[in-house]
Amino acid sequence: MLDQALQYAHAHRDEFLQELVQFLQIPSISAQPDHQPDMQRAAAWLASHMQQIGLRNVQVFPTAGHPVIYGNWLEAPGQPTVLVYGHYDVQPPDPLDEWRSDPFQPEVRGDDLFGRGTADDKGQLFVHLKTVEAYLRTGGKLPANVKFIIEGEEEVGSLHLPAFMESHRDLLQADVAVISDSHMIAPNQPSIVYGLRGLVYMEVEVQGPAHDLHSGSYGGAIKNPIEALCEIIDALKDNQGHITIPGFYDKVRPLDPEERAELARVPFNETQFRAEAGIEKTWGEAGYTVKEQISARPTLEVNGIWGGYTGAGAKTVLPAHACAKISMRLVPDQTSDEITELFRQHIERLAPNTVRVAVRKLHSGEAAIVDRHIPEMQAAAIAYERTFGRRPVFTREGGSIPVVADFQRLLGIPTILMGFGLPDDNLHAPNEKFHLPNFYKGVDTAIWFLREL
Amino acid sequence: MLDQALQYAHAHRDEFLQELVQFLQIPSISAQPDHQPDMQRAAAWLASHMQQIGLRNVQVFPTAGHPVIYGNWLEAPGQPTVLVYGHYDVQPPDPLDEWRSDPFQPEVRGDDLFGRGTADDKGQLFVHLKTVEAYLRTGGKLPANVKFIIEGEEEVGSLHLPAFMESHRDLLQADVAVISDSHMIAPNQPSIVYGLRGLVYMEVEVQGPAHDLHSGSYGGAIKNPIEALCEIIDALKDNQGHITIPGFYDKVRPLDPEERAELARVPFNETQFRAEAGIEKTWGEAGYTVKEQISARPTLEVNGIWGGYTGAGAKTVLPAHACAKISMRLVPDQTSDEITELFRQHIERLAPNTVRVAVRKLHSGEAAIVDRHIPEMQAAAIAYERTFGRRPVFTREGGSIPVVADFQRLLGIPTILMGFGLPDDNLHAPNEKFHLPNFYKGVDTAIWFLREL
C-alpha cells in the first residue's frame, strides 16, 4: 500500500506540478478587496480538486470573510485521525517591479518554482492533497483517517477561523493536526518546528493639521505629523534593541540554559542568513544570538509607513496625516490582548500633545509551543528520516501560525509542523519560490507519516 | 486713461472670470510627467491669450523642461519698464478625496473661486494680463513699458529659469520686477512682502535588506530601514524645535530688535492661524514668535515619507527601503549650496552602519530681502491705498519665490511682491481658492501701479 502510493507519486510528478500551477494562477490575495472574485475562484477550484482526488464530504463553508473549505476520508476504523490545515490565500505581490517573472504566472527556473503562493502555502498544502490522491488512486484507501480544513484568511490574521472552529468542533475533532506552512533548515537537513511566535499587528495614525498646508506659509510653527510619528517610532526601542513598551517583557517565558543549548545545536549559518537578507551586519536585541532573536524572542517591526507627498518630484506640503503599520511577534507566555493594550497605552503616552493619535489593531494570534516527545512527533521524525535519509532537528520558528494555538485551545490537539519550504523561499517578498525536490519529497514524507502514525 | 481702464475692468469682471476658468481647467501639473501634454496646452493657451489682449512679440521659448512664455509692450518711451513674472504650472491636487469640488473644474462658492491654481498662480497672474487688456482696449496704450516672463516650473523649483534669464538678459532688462504670487494679511489690510525664504528640497532613501523580507523569519536580527529613517528624522530637531544640523544657523542674519518690533506690528491673529491650520496648539522653535517662526526663521519639514506595505490590511514585511522628502526654508544669509552640503553630511553621520543611505537634492532657491524704501515700493503702496483705502503694511513671508533672488542677481533689479491671495487660500492643499473681490481689486491696484510708477 505504501509502496504503491510512493510509486504513483513518483510517476505523476509532472501532473502534480501542472495542477499546482493552475492553482497558483488564481491571484487569491485575501488582503485586497479587489481580489474578492479571485478568492471565490480559488475556493471553488480547491473544493473541486479535493473531490476529484477522492476526498468525501467536501464543503465550502461561507464565513463573514473568505470561505473555509472542508473535506475528509474517514474509512480507517481504529486508526488515528489527522486534521490537515492549509490556506489558499496569498500575500499581495508588491513591489511588482522586483519580480523576475509574473507572480501569478508561475515559472520553473532550475529546481525552483517561482510565483506568489508557491511555498506559502498552496504548494505545501498540495503535498497533502497529492498524498491522499496517491493512496486512494492505488490501494483505494488511506492508512489513517484524514480531515482537511483550508482557510482563506491566513495572510490577514485568520479573522473568522476561531469562530468557525468553535461552531464545528465535532466536524474537526481529530487526534493530531498537521500543517505544512513553514520551512526546513536546508534541503538536506529536515527539521520540525515545535515553537511559533504570536503576532499583534497594529496601525498608528497621527493627525496634525486638519488639512495639508503649504510648508512655506505654515512650516515652523506647527508640529509635523510625520515628525511626530518618527519620534514615536524612534522611542519604541532603546539603542540596545530592547522594546521600550512598559511591561512588554514581563510575561516572556525565559529561555533556560538547556533550551538555549538545544537551539544552538540547530544548524544555523549566519553568513548565509546575511547573504539571503542582503545585509552586511545583523542588528538586534543585545544579549541574544541571531537564532534566538529571530525565533525565541519577541520583536517589533515597522511594516509600513506613509504620509504627505510621495509622488515624483517635490511638493512643499506640511501634511495632515502620517500612518504606520507596526507589528510585534510574541513568545509564550505573552498574550496578544495584553500586548495590544500595553502598545496602545505606550503610543498614547509617547504622542506629543500637539497632534492627535489613533491606534487600531488589525489582527493578532497567540504564540505556541508543542511537546517534542509525543508519539505523533516521533512518527513525523521517522517519515522524514525515511525520505531524506536524516533525522530531523527540532527548532523554533520566528513566524506566526496562530491556528496552532487555536487547535490546542479549541480542539485540545497538538500540531505537527511539517515544513517543506526553505529559508530562502522569499516568503511575503518578490520572487517567492518553492524548491521542487522538496515538493516531491514532501509528498513521500507525508505518505510515510500516515503509515507511521 | 486711468479712469477708462478702471471702468473697462469693472465692466468686464464676468468675462475676466470666464477666461480665468478656461485657463484653470487645464491641469498643468509640472511635477507629474503624465501631465506633459497639459503643460504644452497651458503654454499655448496662455501665449494665444497674451496676443489677444494686445501684447507684442509673444513667444513660447522651449527649455530643457517646460516652456517659458514671453510677451511685451514697449511703446511708452521715457517711462520705466516693469517685468511681470508669473507661473502657469500648478501643484498636484492630491489628496483628491479632500476636495469639495473638482480641482480642475473651478467652482464659485460665495465670494471665492475654488480650484487648483486659482491663487497659485494663474488667478494672480491674470490680474496683470487683465490690467494690460484694460489699458490697451480703452486708450490703446500703457502708462509704462511692460514685459511678461511666465514660467512653467515654479512648483518644481524653477529648474531652467536661471539659465533662461542668463541667456536672455537683454530681452528681460527692466527697472523693476512685479510678482503677484503671495498673499495679503486680510481682505481689508493690504500688505507688501519684502522678505522671502529660500528653499532646499531633499530626498533621503534608506536601504536595509536587499529585498523585502518576512518579518517573522527575519524580524529581530535586521535593522529595519523605516526605523532607521525615523531615527534619523527624529534626530534632526531637538526638543526645543532647533534644527540640529551642525552649522545650520551659522550664517543666519539675526533678527535685530527694530525688525522684531516691526514684524510684531504686522497684524497677526494667532487664534485665526490655528483655526486655519486646524490645530489646537502651535509648536516651533523656542525663543521666537509664531510670526517669526513662519517667516523670518529657517525651518525644516518632512514633506513626505513612505516605505514597506501601505495598502489595505496587514502584510508582515520587513521592508527593503524607506524614503522621505525633507525640505528646509532658508533665510538671509544662508545659501542653498552650503545648507545642502551640511544636510547631506549630517544625514550620513546620523545613519546607522547597519543600513545604507542616499541623499539627493531635488531643488533649491535662495532667500531674498528687498529694500522697502525704493520709489517702486512707494508706488505700489499708493496703488494699494487708492484701491483698498488703506496703506499696506510691510511684512516677511515664509514661502519661497527664488526668482526674486535671481532677478536681483542676474538682472540687478528689485522685485515688488504685490500679493492678492489670502492666508486661508489653501495653497498646495485641497480646496485651493482665490477670493474674487481680491481678483478684481488686484486689477484696480495694478492699473494704479502702472500710473504711479
Side-chain angles (χ1 to χ4, degrees), chain A residues 143-394:
Chain A
N145 300 297
V146 297
K147 297 178 173 180
F148 278 84
I149 176 174
I150 306 172
E151 68 156 322
E153 298 187 294
E154 200 274 343
E155 302 296 2
V156 289
S158 300
L159 282 179
H160 302 98
L161 190 66
F164 177 83
M165 285 167 56
E166 281 189 78
S167 56
H168 295 84
R169 281 175 206 259
D170 288 346
L171 189 74
L172 301 173
Q173 199 49 64
D175 297 294
V176 65
V178 168
I179 304 179
S180 294
D181 194 21
S182 53
H183 64 75
M184 302 176 17
I185 286 166
N188 58 353
Q189 178 55 66
S191 53
I192 296 179
V193 173
Y194 70 96
L196 287 163
R197 293 197 281 198
L199 180 70
V200 168
Y201 199 112
M202 309 291 293
E203 194 166 281
V204 175
E205 180 174 5
V206 177
Q207 165 93 44
H211 44 88
D212 285 1
L213 298 171
H214 188 303
S215 69
S217 310
Y218 291 87
I222 289 175
K223 186 76 186 181
N224 182 313
I226 297 177
E227 295 172 29
L229 180 58
C230 289
E231 215 172 295
I232 291 168
I233 288 172
D234 188 35
L236 293 176
K237 288 180 190 165
D238 67 18
N239 60 12
Q240 298 289 298
H242 301 295
I243 295 157
T244 58
I245 299 168
F248 184 81
Y249 293 104
D250 286 1
K251 301 281 174 66
V252 171
R253 198 188 297 179
L255 286 172
D256 62 35
E258 185 270 332
E259 187 171 6
R260 296 188 78 167
E262 194 171 302
L263 285 171
R265 276 194 298 271
V266 175
F268 178 77
N269 183 331
E270 200 178 305
T271 307
Q272 190 185 328
F273 176 84
R274 289 199 306 270
E276 279 159 18
I279 55 163
E280 283 169 29
K281 293 163 76 89
T282 58
W283 184 90
E285 190 187 9
Y288 295 91
T289 66
V290 168
K291 174 67 189 165
E292 290 166 349
Q293 287 169 346
I294 62 171
S295 67
R297 289 294 295 172
T299 61
L300 180 149
E301 294 293 336
V302 181
N303 305 106
I305 193 167
W306 68 100
Y309 185 67
T310 59
K315 185 175 182 208
T316 47
V317 67
L318 196 172
H321 317 271
C323 269
K325 293 183 194 268
I326 302 174
S327 64
M328 287 152 286
R329 300 280 169 176
L330 312 182
V331 298
D333 298 315
Q334 291 176 303
T335 64
S336 66
D337 281 351
E338 190 181 5
I339 295 299
T340 301
E341 203 40 43
L342 293 176
F343 178 85
R344 186 191 307 279
Q345 287 166 12
H346 193 48
I347 297 290
E348 284 166 0
R349 210 163 25 225
L350 288 174
N353 67 359
T354 40
V355 297
R356 275 164 298 148
V357 69
V359 181
R360 289 182 286 271
K361 183 166 93 168
L362 296 190
H363 73 78
S364 63
E366 307 305 328
I369 278 201
V370 178
D371 181 351
R372 281 168 284 135
H373 307 295
I374 57 174
E376 293 87 350
M377 278 282 192
Q378 297 310 314
I382 293 168
Y384 272 111
E385 196 175 358
R386 297 284 185 215
T387 306
F388 286 85
R390 256 178 120 154
R391 290 282 293 181
V393 294
F394 288 87

Side-chain angles (χ1 to χ4, degrees), chain B residues 101 119 133 260 276 318 321 376:
Chain B
S101 53
E133 176 182 328
R260 297 187 77 168
E276 280 159 19
L318 196 171
H321 317 270
E376 294 88 349

